Amino acid sequence: MKALTIHHDFNLGLKLYTIPKTFLELIYEKFPNVTLKDINLETDNNNVEIYFGNRIDNFGISKYINLKWIHLGCVGYDSIDIEELISREIIMTNSSGLLTNSMVEHLINVITNFSRGTHFIYQLRSKKSLNRKNFDLYFDNITNLKNQKVLICGYGDVGSKLSKFLELMGMEIYTISRSKSSPYKNFTLDNLKSIISKVKYIVNLLPLNNETEYIFNDQIFQKMDKAYFINVGRGKTVDETALLQAIDKKNIIAAALDVFESEPLNNNSMLLKNQNIYITPHIAGLDSNYWKRQLDLFTHNLEYYMLNEYLSLKNKIT
C-alpha cells in the first residue's frame, strides 16, 4: 500500500483544535503507511491530496491542484464552493453528528435560563442586590416553557433534535427550513418577517450564504415582541448594531450569542457591555469526547477512501 500524507490544520493550540497524541498513535497503528502533517499554507500546494480540518476555503482549494478529499472537523462549509468541488471530483465529508448533542444541550441551557430569569439573577448579583424583593421586579418575565412559541431557524440535525426536547416541555414549535421534512409549522425565509412577531423564542441555526447574510436585521428585529433571541449559527447572519438597538427598544428582552460578526470578540465590544446579552466564546459544540468520536468517523472514512470505495464514506457532501 502506498504511503499517504494527510495534511491538517489543527494547530490553534486549543484542545478542540489540536489532534491528541492518542489519536495519532491509533491512526498510525491502524494505518502504518499514513502520516498526518501540519499543513504549511505557504508551501503545501501540489502535494496536498487529503485535507483534514476546518479552515479550508475556495482560495486554498484552488491552490491544492491534486486535492482529492476534504474531511471537515466541523459541520458547516459556508466558505466552500460546492460546484467547484463537484467539477473537480473532490470528495468532501464533514463531522455532522459529532457536535449535535453538545449544541442541543447548550441551547436547552440558554432557553431554560431565560425562562427562569437566571440572566436577571446574574445582573442582581453583580450589583450586590440579589434578594427576593429585587428579583420580584422581574416577576412578569418569569415563565415556564409550556405553550410558549419557539421558532427554530434551520431544521438540520441540531434543530431536529432540539425541537423534540422542546416539544416535551410543551412548547409550540415553528421551523424555518427549505426541507419539507419538518413535522411542525414550517416556513421559508421569505416568511420570516411575518412569523417573527408570533414567537417568544428565536433560535438561529442558519448557515451563512447570500440569502442569509444579515438576515436578522433592523426590519426583522423591529417585528419581535419582547422576544428572546439565540444565535449559535453564523455570526454574519446577524446585524449586531440592529440587535443592540432592538434590546434598547425592548423588542428583545435578552439575547444569547455564541458566534459573532468578527471573532474573537473584541474586549471593547458593546455586546460585552450589555447585561441583557449572554455571551459565550463560540463553545456551544464543545465536548471533551469529540476526538474519540472523531477517531471512529475518520478511521472509517480513511479506510474506505484507501479502498476507493467512496460510496461507503460517512457524512458525504460531494
Side-chain angles (χ1 to χ4, degrees):
M1 186 178 294
K2 72 169 185 174
L4 186 64
T5 298
I6 299 168
H7 292 80
H8 70 85
D9 65 17
F10 291 101
N11 52 15
L12 294 181
L14 302 173
K15 291 181 180 179
L16 186 63
Y17 304 107
T18 302
I19 298 179
K21 182 180 178 181
T22 52
F23 183 99
L24 293 172
E25 290 172 346
L26 290 167
I27 288 285
Y28 294 151
E29 180 181 336
K30 187 169 184 177
F31 304 97
N33 294 322
V34 166
T35 301
L36 274 82
K37 178 181 182 292
D38 192 343
I39 196 161
N40 186 316
L41 300 177
E42 300 297 326
T43 61
D44 288 322
N45 295 315
N46 299 345
N47 58 341
V48 177
E49 176 181 342
I50 300 174
Y51 188 107
F52 177 26
N54 299 314
R55 288 178 281 152
I56 192 167
D57 55 18
N58 293 325
F59 176 72
I61 291 169
S62 68
K63 285 175 56 180
Y64 308 141
I65 61 175
N66 292 313
L67 185 63
K68 294 182 180 178
W69 174 32
I70 300 167
H71 179 69
L72 299 174
C74 57
V75 178
Y77 43 91
D78 305 331
S79 60
I80 296 175
D81 184 350
I82 297 298
E83 296 303 319
E84 174 69 13
L85 299 187
I86 293 172
S87 68
R88 288 176 53 186
E89 298 184 344
I90 297 172
I91 299 165
M92 183 167 73
T93 54
N94 72 358
S95 295
S96 177
L98 269 62
L99 306 176
T100 300
N101 280 4
S102 299
M103 294 189 69
V104 170
E105 290 173 21
H106 178 90
L107 288 164
I108 291 171
N109 175 57
V110 170
I111 291 170
T112 53
N113 275 344
F114 281 161
S115 71
R116 304 310 304 155
T118 307
H119 56 299
F120 296 129
I121 291 174
Y122 293 149
Q123 292 178 24
L124 291 171
R125 185 175 178 179
S126 68
K127 297 174 183 176
K128 298 182 179 180
S129 58
L130 179 59
N131 55 53
R132 292 187 70 178
K133 181 178 180 181
N134 289 332
F135 191 73
D136 195 63
L137 296 171
Y138 305 109
F139 179 86
D140 292 338
N141 296 116
I142 310 304
T143 65
N144 60 57
L145 296 176
K146 187 174 182 179
N147 297 325
Q148 296 286 344
K149 296 181 172 116
V150 57
L151 176 65
I152 300 174
C153 303
Y155 191 72
D157 288 346
V158 175
S160 174
K161 194 160 194 174
L162 175 66
S163 64
K164 293 179 174 64
F165 281 97
L166 297 183
E167 188 175 21
L168 288 173
M169 298 295 291
M171 297 194 80
E172 188 175 341
I173 314 291
Y174 294 73
T175 57
I176 295 281
S177 175
R178 289 177 176 174
S179 169
K180 296 181 180 179
S181 63
S182 169
Y184 305 103
K185 297 175 182 177
N186 190 52
F187 304 87
T188 65
L189 280 175
D190 292 336
N191 306 121
L192 183 60
K193 188 181 291 187
S194 61
I195 195 65
I196 205 78
S197 62
K198 296 180 172 65
V199 297
K200 188 71 171 178
Y201 294 84
I202 300 99
V203 178
N204 178 27
L205 295 163
L206 292 172
L208 180 64
N209 52 46
N210 291 335
E211 191 178 10
T212 63
E213 186 172 15
Y214 298 119
I215 185 72
F216 288 99
N217 52 37
D218 183 60
Q219 291 182 342
I220 296 298
F221 286 135
Q222 282 185 22
K223 295 288 183 180
M224 295 182 185
D225 183 18
K226 296 181 179 179
Y228 295 100
F229 179 75
I230 304 162
N231 185 22
V232 294
R234 290 290 182 266
K236 288 189 177 180
T237 60
V238 177
D239 181 335
E240 293 172 354
T241 300
L243 171 66
L244 287 164
Q245 292 172 349
I247 292 174
D248 288 342
K249 295 176 182 177
K250 310 298 183 186
N251 297 102
I252 296 174
I253 297 174
L257 306 177
D258 187 58
V259 290
F260 311 95
E261 289 183 68
S262 179
E263 296 185 21
L265 193 62
N266 189 296
N267 287 332
N268 294 319
S269 170
M270 295 302 296
L271 299 174
L272 282 170
K273 297 176 182 179
N274 193 305
Q275 290 194 327
N276 292 309
I277 302 178
Y278 175 65
I279 298 283
T280 49
H282 205 149
I283 48 85
L286 210 64
D287 180 1
S288 60
N289 289 315
Y290 168 84
W291 283 106
K292 293 179 182 178
R293 290 199 288 272
Q294 183 62 258
L295 180 67
D296 292 338
L297 173 61
F298 189 68
T299 53
H300 170 93
N301 281 356
L302 180 57
E303 182 173 3
Y304 282 104
Y305 174 83
M306 296 176 75
L307 293 171
N308 297 323
E309 296 182 16
Y310 305 136
L311 293 178
S312 296
L313 299 180
K314 292 181 179 179
N315 295 348
K316 195 168 181 289
I317 308 299
T318 61

